[in-house]
Amino acid sequence: QQQVKQSPQSLIVQKGGISIINCAYENTAFDYFPWYQQFPGKGPALLIAIRPDVSEKKEGRFTISFNKSAKQFPLHIMDSQPGDSATYFCAASSSGGNQFYFGTGTSLTVIP
Amino acid sequence: DGGITQSPKYLFRKEGQNVTLSCEQNLNHDAMYWYRQDPGQGLRLIYYSQIVNDFQKGDIAEGYSVSREKKESFPLTVTSAQKNPTAFYLCASSIISGTGFNTFGSGTRLTVV
């Protein structure tokens, strides 16, 4: 059973638009939800993360919202820029666990 | 600068050959991980280690082996038993296993020739 489900697989957005990538989790024991950004040929880099005690976290143009009842934590990218074109992964882990679970990734393309 | 160093960046393997991918970290992290990345499949966990001289199988451990003789090093061997080894391999570490976030290396692209 896939622990973290991410959608869409690919996304094309106009420059200046809002990019929304969805992520849902299964295990209610998860208590840490990071998002990673990956450029071609590079390793993923932490972009932003949230814990269940807050409903929203914002860092610059990137925002995670957390919906505990729906078990979802979508990523919003405001004023999307061509430099945001990358693959984005969501992930989840639990304090008592010993590994991270990743979504399948979303390839974002921002067109000028 | 603290970080994770993976080498080599590109690696070519002949059929039936074992190859070893290097991963070194100077972050003083306890936990280290190996992931395999294939297009459209995200990151799949191969092996992870929480302490020196101990490691656990992940979801796709068959055909791979690891060692953790030093805290800073976690090499991955892709054996001849791995029938489809062509992929992008990522090493990661975290302060404590399962918490915080993974810091990733820049990856090794392995190709079978």
Side-chain angles (χ1 to χ4, degrees):
Chain A
Q1 182 185 17
Q2 195 172 356
Q3 297 277 357
V4 176
K5 296 180 181 178
Q6 184 175 345
S7 63
Q9 186 173 2
S10 63
L11 181 62
I12 299 175
V13 173
Q14 289 271 3
K15 178 183 175 181
I18 301 174
S19 304
I20 302 174
I21 305 173
N22 298 299
C23 200
Y25 64 96
E26 293 291 328
N27 190 342
T28 55
F30 289 150
D31 58 7
Y32 187 76
F33 304 91
W35 279 91
Y36 294 85
Q37 181 187 55
Q38 184 182 28
F39 293 105
K42 304 292 185 183
L46 179 69
L47 185 63
I48 187 172
I50 196 168
R51 294 193 184 274
D53 55 347
V54 297
S55 60
E56 185 177 280
K57 185 169 184 181
K58 185 175 182 179
E59 290 187 7
R61 296 183 292 107
F62 300 89
T63 301
I64 306 178
S65 56
F66 188 80
N67 186 329
K68 190 173 182 178
S69 60
K71 294 193 289 185
Q72 294 179 355
F73 58 106
L75 174 70
H76 290 69
I77 306 174
M78 312 300 288
D79 187 26
S80 299
Q81 299 296 312
D84 297 332
S85 297
T87 299
Y88 293 81
F89 292 96
C90 60
S93 67
S94 62
S95 301
N98 51 24
Q99 62 176 285
F100 297 82
Y101 297 89
F102 287 85
T104 51
T106 296
S107 175
L108 171 66
T109 302
V110 181
I111 54 179
Chain B
D1 287 337
I4 299 178
T5 301
Q6 286 188 243
S7 62
K9 189 172 179 63
Y10 299 97
L11 186 58
F12 298 90
R13 192 195 92 165
K14 294 181 180 180
E15 294 282 352
Q17 190 178 46
N18 292 356
V19 291
T20 297
L21 284 59
S22 171
C23 179
E24 303 278 332
Q25 55 102 356
N26 60 5
L27 300 167
N28 200 32
H29 284 174
D30 292 304
M32 296 187 74
Y33 311 79
W34 274 105
Y35 295 93
R36 171 178 170 144
Q37 185 174 25
D38 297 282
Q41 295 197 49
L43 302 174
R44 293 184 291 168
L45 182 64
I46 304 173
Y47 269 98
Y48 64 97
S49 168
Q50 300 177 67
I51 57 172
V52 174
N53 292 323
D54 186 54
F55 46 83
Q56 308 296 326
K57 292 182 178 180
D59 300 321
I60 56 166
E62 185 175 350
Y64 300 97
S65 66
V66 293
S67 62
R68 187 86 185 277
E69 297 178 1
K70 299 185 296 183
K71 185 176 182 178
E72 60 270 22
S73 179
F74 191 42
L76 173 74
T77 297
V78 184
T79 75
S80 57
Q82 172 49 241
K83 298 307 178 187
N84 185 24
T86 295
F88 190 51
Y89 290 87
L90 288 161
C91 179
S93 69
S94 65
I95 294 175
I96 301 173
S97 179
T99 66
F101 60 91
N102 275 183
T103 299
F104 285 89
S106 56
T108 293
R109 184 163 299 281
L110 173 63
T111 304
V112 174
V113 296

